[in-house]
Amino acid sequence: MSEFTHLNERGEAHMVDISGKAPSKRVALAQSSIQLGEEAYTLLVEGKHKKGDVFAVARIAGIQAAKRCSDLIPLCHPLMLSKVSVDFDKDGDTHTITAIARCELEGKTGVEMEALTAASVATLTIYDMCKAVDKGMRIVNTELLEKHGGKSGSWAREG
């Protein structure tokens, strides 16, 4: 059985020591989708929502969330992100918006959690801003799409 990386020899939680790792370019791409009813979807994509530009607010919320990831996830290292972007894909057939977050840095640990947090908070923000119109929205398929860099190299979700 391998040792747990987030537990010390006494079984107590601790932050993993990354001081001996070499810095490398790290990139992660994650997504989270929100399914809306037809009315809420139409208001959103046509920019007619009463609360204003939902996409702009959700984008900023996602970027801020990536920057604050270590405040939210216990034992997550605070990172000096060099780039965070949040973009949105729209599917009119299923009334689904997919937030796609990309995080980058030159560092000693990966940015997967930051990308996942950014995508998640972007869809949560859409939910918050649209809930007066549609309380039945569903947030689905929050997942890492790909990561690059570090000792483990590159990984991409199949399909």
Side-chain angles (χ1 to χ4, degrees):
M1 183 163 109
S2 65
E3 290 185 29
F4 293 108
T5 60
H6 286 76
L7 300 177
N8 67 15
E9 61 281 349
R10 294 180 304 278
E12 300 164 338
H14 74 106
M15 186 184 290
V16 174
D17 182 2
I18 60 170
S19 60
K21 294 173 80 176
S24 67
K25 173 82 173 181
R26 313 284 187 129
V27 179
L29 194 66
Q31 73 175 19
S32 183
S33 298
I34 183 165
Q35 300 168 337
L36 303 95
E38 184 175 0
E39 179 186 6
Y41 179 84
T42 301
L43 287 170
L44 180 58
V45 298
E46 291 180 359
K48 295 181 179 176
H49 201 283
K50 286 184 180 181
K51 291 193 176 182
D53 188 344
V54 175
F55 288 120
V57 175
R59 179 175 284 113
I60 292 169
I63 292 168
Q64 283 184 290
K67 292 167 51 177
R68 301 292 306 265
C69 186
S70 66
D71 292 335
L72 302 169
I73 311 269
L75 310 178
C76 193
H77 290 87
L79 302 179
M80 289 294 296
L81 297 168
S82 57
K83 178 179 177 56
V84 179
S85 64
V86 178
D87 295 304
F88 300 98
D89 283 345
K90 304 166 192 85
D91 184 337
D93 293 335
T94 62
H95 305 129
T96 300
I97 304 294
T98 300
I100 302 161
R102 179 183 181 93
C103 293
E104 299 181 18
L105 63 68
E106 181 81 25
K108 297 180 176 194
T109 189
V111 289
E112 296 91 339
M113 295 310 301
E114 288 71 14
L116 284 160
T117 301
S120 299
V121 170
T123 55
L124 286 168
T125 301
I126 292 171
Y127 187 98
D128 182 51
M129 293 186 74
C130 295
K131 69 182 183 270
V133 178
D134 181 5
K135 289 179 181 41
M137 294 172 285
R138 294 180 63 212
I139 296 173
V140 298
N141 301 331
T142 300
E143 57 194 355
L144 182 67
L145 298 174
E146 59 187 69
K147 61 82 63 185
H148 305 281
K151 190 167 82 172
S152 65
S154 293
W155 175 89
R157 180 167 301 283
E158 292 184 22

